Amino acid sequence: TLAMVLLFSLLSAIWVAFFSARRLVAPVADLAEATRAVAAGDYGTQLAEPRKRDELGFLVSSFNDMTRRIGQSRDETERSQRQVEAQRTYLETVLGRLSSGVISLDAAGSLRTANQAAGEILQVDISRLLGLKPDRVAQESARLGQFIEAVREPVEREMRDWREQITLIGSEG
């Protein structure tokens, strides 16, 4: 009888140990699984808040707050990108309708944007020159070389807003 009680007590202790270990490890395992989901891009992952307000409860609460903020930031970023794309499309539409040539340069002097009228005036396919450095652009045609020389000084002086009418002389005059 004593051996049976000892065996039963030993098995009960082992069972209680496994049960307790599972209960202690389950929140950490859930947190690890949720972390994998967030790493995969699922920012909507939320964990059930534990009833106890201990260190693990604080960790789960912080995790939920973090994923909520990441999700909000991602949504705001997507909304901003859509707005930027809409503004860019609008600007391209407006520039495309102008008969005057419009060219913008970035801080390094590379062609950033240009409308179709600018390409027709300069007699080049301006769309393939976007992003190129000024010296590379000047090699494309004589008119472009003249244009680059005319705008070199204001670009080097970093004038933010500069307007001037430039007369370009080509093979036809």
Side-chain angles (χ1 to χ4, degrees):
T1 306
L2 190 57
M4 290 296 281
V5 169
L6 182 64
L7 183 63
F8 180 70
S9 297
L10 186 62
L11 288 175
S12 295
I14 291 172
W15 181 80
V16 167
F18 276 115
F19 179 76
S20 297
R22 274 198 203 125
R23 283 194 62 202
L24 288 173
V25 172
V28 174
D30 291 344
L31 190 58
E33 183 64 32
T35 303
R36 279 191 217 89
V38 169
D42 180 12
Y43 302 118
T45 303
Q46 295 287 306
L47 296 172
E49 297 276 340
R51 285 172 267 166
K52 295 180 182 176
R53 298 305 301 169
D54 57 358
E55 290 83 7
L56 193 57
F58 175 74
L59 186 61
V60 168
S61 176
S62 296
F63 178 84
N64 287 341
D65 187 44
M66 177 192 69
T67 56
R68 192 173 19 263
R69 287 182 183 182
I70 289 173
Q72 289 172 349
S73 295
R74 183 195 60 205
D75 293 343
E76 288 175 17
T77 300
E78 288 174 357
R79 194 173 20 259
S80 294
Q81 285 177 337
R82 284 192 301 269
Q83 288 175 344
V84 166
E85 281 299 314
Q87 289 295 322
R88 188 181 63 76
T89 303
Y90 174 74
L91 181 61
E92 285 178 356
T93 302
V94 169
L95 289 177
R97 304 264 187 243
L98 292 176
S99 60
S100 300
V102 177
I103 294 177
S104 68
L105 308 171
D106 63 13
S110 301
L111 254 63
R112 184 167 180 200
T113 57
N115 65 352
Q116 187 174 356
E120 291 170 3
I121 292 168
L122 296 171
Q123 297 177 341
V124 293
D125 180 12
I126 201 86
S127 63
R128 66 182 180 85
L129 302 177
L130 296 177
L132 295 180
K133 298 288 183 193
D135 294 334
R136 175 74 177 96
V137 171
Q139 296 171 355
E140 291 297 316
S141 76
R143 284 189 179 197
L144 275 174
Q146 292 174 41
F147 175 75
I148 293 298
E149 284 306 313
V151 299
R152 187 174 305 273
E153 180 188 346
V155 169
E156 288 174 354
R157 288 192 354 216
E158 297 181 8
M159 296 176 72
R160 296 191 56 77
D161 189 22
W162 171 76
R163 294 177 181 138
E164 185 173 320
Q165 182 169 333
I166 301 170
T167 304
L168 303 174
I169 302 171
S171 58
E172 306 87 41

